[in-house]
Each structure stands twice: as C-alpha cells, then as structure tokens.
Amino acid sequence: MQIGPYSLPNNLVVAPMAGVTDRPFRQLCRRFGAGYAVSEMITADKSLRLSKKTLRRADFDGEPSPIAVQIAGSDPHELAAAARYNVEQGAQIVDINMGCPAKKVCNKLAGSALLQNETLVAEILTAVVRAVDVPVTLKTRLGFRNGEENILRVARLAEECGIAALAVHGRTREDMYNGEARFDLIREVKSQIGIPLIANGDIDSPQKARTVLEATGADAIMIGRAAQGRPWLFREIAHFLATGELLPPPGLEEIREVLLEHLDELHAFYGEYSGCRIARKHIAWTTCGLAGSNEFRSQMYGLEDCARQRDAVKQYFDGLMAG
C-alpha cells in the first residue's frame, strides 16, 4: 500500500473516529499491527486552532511516520489554510473529511453533507491539493441519500483533482451506521480509478476482512468501530490474511495488561479529570461480554479519579482470573 512517497507496512488502516482515535488509541492499534492511522477530524476553523481539544487532536508525539491529519470544514480557502497549517506542524499526509454523518457536522455543510454539491467538492479538493506539497487523501461515503449515490463521480473528481488515495465507507449519509455496508459500488469505484482505494464498513473479523478485500478489489481496508475495545483485531486480521489461520483470542491476562497500559496512557495524555472520564468508554468496550461486566461497569462509572479507576479494573480482572 502506497500513499504518495510513503510505503505502508501493510494494508490495515485505523479509521478516523471523533472521540476515539486519539494518540493513545492510534498507538495501541499500531502496536497490534495496524499499518496506518488517521487522526480524529480537526476543524478548519482558524479560531479553534489553539483550543485544548484541537491541540490534543493534533498531538502526534512519538508516533511512527507517516503522520496523517484529517481536516473538516466546508470552505475551500479555510480548508486550504488548515492544510498548510497542519503541514507546518508536522503532518505528512492531509486527509479531507467528506464522510462524517453526524448531525452537528452536516448542519455546517461539512462531512458527508458536502456530497450534495459536487462543484464544491471539486473546489475543496483542488484548493487543498494546491495548498500543500504532501499527499492529500479523501474519506467519503457512497453518497448523501439512498438512490442518489454519486461516489463514482466523486471518485473520478478526486483522482482528477490530485487526491493520492480514497477511502470509501460502504453506506450513504442517510444510512448512518444502520443496515449492512454495500461493497458493490466500491468495487465499481476501484475499476474506474487508478489511485489506491481503501474499503471501509462492517469489517469486524479476519474472515470479513478477506471477504471485503476480495469483493471490492480494494488496496487496503479501514477498520473503525470493530477495533473499539479490540485493538488486537489488527493482529488477528494480519495473521489470517498472511496464513489463512485464525489466531486464538487473547486471554484474560493479556486483555488486562493491554487495558491497564491503555488507561495509563489516557490518564497521562488527558490528565486526572478528563482522563478518568474518557477512559470509561474504553473500559466498557473492552469488558463487554465478560462475566459480571455489567455490574462492574455500573460501579466503575461512579469512580472519579484515575488511581481508583485503575485499581477497580485490576481487581475486576484479577477476580475473573481467580474464578
């Protein structure tokens, strides 16, 4: 998998997810075998560049190359300026968000709402590509509404405008995350463009990863929600694609150690107040389905300091392993 001058170690990509793919999570997924990770979306609004949230989202300290920053907005000039700024701060690849289905994003005519205006799409892509001397990529969906899928035209526009790689989620904005991702159109896109294509949507197992790669002919796959609480999914997929064999699931001891290390990273990254609260969803995702996890999570949500939260997680797993 190649994006501009960058050769990725494999074809497994961590999807950018707001509130999830912060530096600790990206590093965790890379540790388990993801070959590439894109930041949470960073607003193109210049007035918010120095906000605490934006600065955290743009923190790539210690991460391997290439550093990929996703920008979001609707004004071509703002997005071009945001691209230049982030490259000056160390971004090696700029990704444009035209896929987010969130209401608060679409209401600003950003994210997947942009798919309603192909002229504006072309203006944005052209402006950003011309603004920087690093590869620019695009993350998008099949279209805005069902029955109005325009991904084939958008994909051709992307290539014409100089986009270096295209990631496509197999749903429209209208679908949100409901129903099943559709890969037939992604296969059509692949047949009509020459730039690398990354398929995204519903990839939650090694078998599904192989199925999607075969069904779409994509150069890579992008994994998002399925990796929440399961960063070892990348290890399992990489092994299966290479050997055809399924790895056994991680044991309780490994899960405990991975989660505790992740908590330490989150607590250090966000600080006492935010770190404890942000860690809760990662604890919930990781413990989902384990014995007594519902009761444990109910108790854990009431803890408001990092040390007690860490101790509670350790004691929960120790109890599982002793039982």
Side-chain angles (χ1 to χ4, degrees):
M1 178 67 186
Q2 187 91 8
I3 300 179
Y6 300 106
S7 295
L8 307 183
N10 61 33
N11 59 351
L12 307 182
V13 182
V14 186
M17 295 177 283
V20 180
T21 48
D22 52 21
R23 191 186 78 195
F25 187 79
R26 292 193 302 269
Q27 289 177 321
L28 182 61
C29 292
R30 294 292 290 266
R31 193 179 112 200
F32 274 101
Y36 178 60
V38 184
S39 79
E40 301 175 77
M41 63 180 174
I42 296 174
T43 178
D45 187 342
K46 183 178 179 181
S47 68
L48 297 175
R49 277 183 193 164
L50 298 181
S51 70
K52 189 177 287 188
K53 177 185 281 189
T54 300
L55 289 173
R56 280 198 182 120
R57 288 186 171 188
D59 187 332
F60 295 88
D61 188 40
E63 288 193 63
S65 176
I67 301 300
V69 173
Q70 186 182 77
I71 56 175
S74 58
D75 180 270
H77 301 294
E78 272 194 353
L79 283 159
R84 281 192 295 270
Y85 174 78
N86 280 287
V87 169
E88 288 167 4
Q89 300 305 305
Q92 296 166 304
I93 295 174
V94 173
D95 186 62
I96 302 172
N97 184 315
M98 292 190 185
C100 181
K103 188 175 182 180
K104 66 180 180 181
V105 175
C106 289
N107 282 348
K108 296 179 181 177
L109 298 180
S112 56
L114 290 167
L115 297 174
Q116 299 171 100
N117 186 340
E118 292 174 29
T119 300
L120 180 57
V121 166
E123 290 175 1
I124 288 171
L125 299 182
T126 301
V128 176
V129 168
R130 288 178 178 173
V132 294
D133 58 1
V134 304
V136 178
T137 60
L138 174 64
K139 173 78 162 64
T140 189
R141 287 183 169 236
L142 301 180
F144 190 75
R145 295 183 185 87
N146 291 325
E148 300 177 13
E149 292 86 349
N150 59 344
I151 184 58
L152 294 175
R153 292 194 300 275
V154 169
R156 286 192 290 266
L157 269 178
E159 185 169 26
E160 290 166 8
C161 293
I163 291 298
L166 176 68
V168 181
H169 185 113
R171 290 180 172 88
T172 63
R173 193 271 171 170
E174 182 181 344
D175 289 329
M176 299 295 284
Y177 295 100
N178 300 315
E180 293 185 359
R182 295 177 281 154
F183 297 106
D184 52 339
L185 269 176
I186 296 180
R187 184 174 187 85
E188 252 190 278
V189 169
K190 176 59 184 171
S191 71
Q192 295 193 25
I193 61 173
I195 57 176
L197 177 67
I198 304 166
N200 177 221
D202 293 351
I203 301 169
D204 57 3
S205 70
Q207 298 96 319
K208 188 63 178 281
R210 184 170 68 181
T211 297
V212 171
L213 282 169
E214 291 174 349
T216 62
D219 301 279
I221 50 176
M222 179 175 276
I223 299 156
R225 291 170 296 155
Q228 295 172 355
R230 293 174 60 207
W232 44 82
L233 179 60
F234 293 99
R235 177 178 68 187
E236 295 170 351
I237 291 174
H239 183 81
F240 183 72
L241 293 179
T243 68
E245 299 173 353
L246 290 170
L247 286 174
L252 288 173
E253 185 172 359
E254 182 181 11
I255 295 173
R256 180 188 66 174
E257 292 311 306
V258 169
L259 180 54
L260 289 175
E261 288 177 20
H262 191 198
L263 293 187
D264 290 341
E265 291 293 329
L266 289 168
H267 295 162
F269 187 69
Y270 287 103
E272 181 74 27
Y273 182 84
S274 296
C276 182
R277 284 152 181 80
I278 288 169
R280 289 171 183 164
K281 60 191 171 192
H282 292 279
I283 296 170
W285 290 329
T286 305
T287 59
C288 183
L290 297 178
S293 59
N294 288 341
E295 182 182 359
F296 162 69
R297 287 195 296 271
S298 295
Q299 297 170 350
M300 180 269 299
Y301 288 139
L303 303 178
E304 296 189 354
D305 70 82
C306 295
R308 291 180 65 201
Q309 184 182 67
R310 192 185 196 283
D311 286 344
V313 169
K314 187 176 184 303
Q315 289 170 18
Y316 169 69
F317 277 94
D318 286 347
L320 289 179
M321 293 162 65

